Amino acid sequence: MTIIGAPFLTYIGAMLHPTRVLWHGSPWLFIGVHLVWPFLVAGLALMLVQLVSDIDEAPARITRLLVIPMVIAFTLYTTYSGVAIGAIVWEGNRFPIARREPISDLIDYLTTNTLATTLRITAELLWAACAITAAIALRRRVPRPALGLFVIGALEFGYHHERPYGAAGMAALLASVVWITLRERSTRGAHPVDTGTVA
C-alpha cells in the first residue's frame, strides 16, 4: 500500500543517507541514495494524492496540482546536490591526495552556492505546501493528534531530508498515516455498506 509503504521506504532512505560525502570513504552510498530519492519523493507524492483522493475541496485540488512541480524540484535538487556531487568525489578520489584540496573547495562551493540554495528551498517549500494543503483537506476526517503528527513530521522532513531530522520526521509521518489508515478501516467496519438486499 503506497500510503504506508512510501513513508516507510523514505524513512529507510533517510536513515541510510550519509550526513556528508567524504574523501576517505566510498561515495557509492551517497550516490545510490540520491539516485533512488526521486522515486521515494514520487511515492510520497502519490501518498498525498491518495490521502485526499475522494475530497473535492480547494486544498485537496491544490495538493494534487502541486505534487508534480514538487517531484520535479526534488529531482533537480537531488540530482545536483546528490548525484553530481557524489560523482565529483568519485572522480576526485582518483587524484593524488596533494591535489584533492581544490576539489574539496569546489564541492563546498557547489553545495552552498545560489543555485544549490535555490533548488533546496524550492523543493522544501513545495513539499511543505503539498503537506499542509493535504492536512487542511483532511481536517474534518482525521483526529487532531494524527493531523498534528502529520504536519510536524512533514515539516521536519522538509527541513532536512537526512538523519536525524529527515528520519525523525518521516517516522512521525509514517505513524500518522498508519493511524489514519487504521481509523478509516475501523470506521468502514463499524458502518457496513448497505447492499440493498430485500428480504
Side-chain angles (χ1 to χ4, degrees):
M1 181 184 296
T2 303
I3 290 180
I4 295 176
F8 175 71
L9 292 175
T10 308
Y11 168 77
I12 294 175
M15 287 298 294
L16 292 175
H17 191 305
T19 54
R20 57 182 298 186
V21 60
L22 300 173
W23 284 110
H24 55 73
S26 171
W28 286 111
L29 179 59
F30 190 84
I31 294 173
V33 167
H34 286 94
L35 284 173
V36 174
W37 208 259
F39 298 98
L40 297 177
V41 174
L44 293 176
L46 184 56
M47 174 200 73
L48 294 175
V49 170
Q50 289 182 343
L51 284 172
V52 301
S53 61
D54 60 343
I55 302 176
D56 189 21
E57 295 181 356
R61 291 193 292 270
I62 292 172
T63 300
R64 290 190 283 266
L65 180 65
L66 288 180
V67 292
I68 297 174
M70 185 270 290
V71 172
I72 293 173
F74 253 107
T75 299
L76 291 173
Y77 171 47
T78 56
T79 300
Y80 176 86
S81 295
V83 178
I85 299 302
I88 292 174
V89 172
W90 172 35
E91 292 296 331
N93 277 333
R94 302 183 182 186
F95 284 71
I97 295 177
R99 296 179 57 190
R100 293 181 186 179
E101 185 174 350
I103 301 175
S104 178
D105 292 339
L106 174 62
I107 290 175
D108 288 339
Y109 170 74
L110 290 176
T111 54
T112 57
N113 65 7
T114 302
L115 177 59
T117 302
T118 301
L119 290 173
R120 177 179 59 80
I121 292 176
T122 301
E124 291 171 352
L125 288 178
L126 283 170
W127 163 254
C130 288
I132 290 172
T133 54
I136 294 172
L138 293 167
R139 68 192 183 281
R140 294 191 183 95
R141 59 175 62 186
V142 174
R144 288 186 179 180
L147 201 60
L149 198 61
F150 181 91
V151 172
I152 291 172
L155 293 180
E156 191 171 9
F157 174 76
Y159 175 68
H160 273 305
H161 63 272
E162 61 192 39
R163 66 179 188 272
Y165 298 101
M170 198 48 55
L173 190 68
L174 174 60
S176 174
V177 296
V178 168
W179 188 345
I180 293 170
T181 302
L182 292 177
R183 184 177 185 274
E184 288 181 348
R185 288 181 179 177
S186 64
T187 300
R188 286 197 299 267
H191 300 87
V193 178
D194 185 2
T195 61
T197 303
V198 179

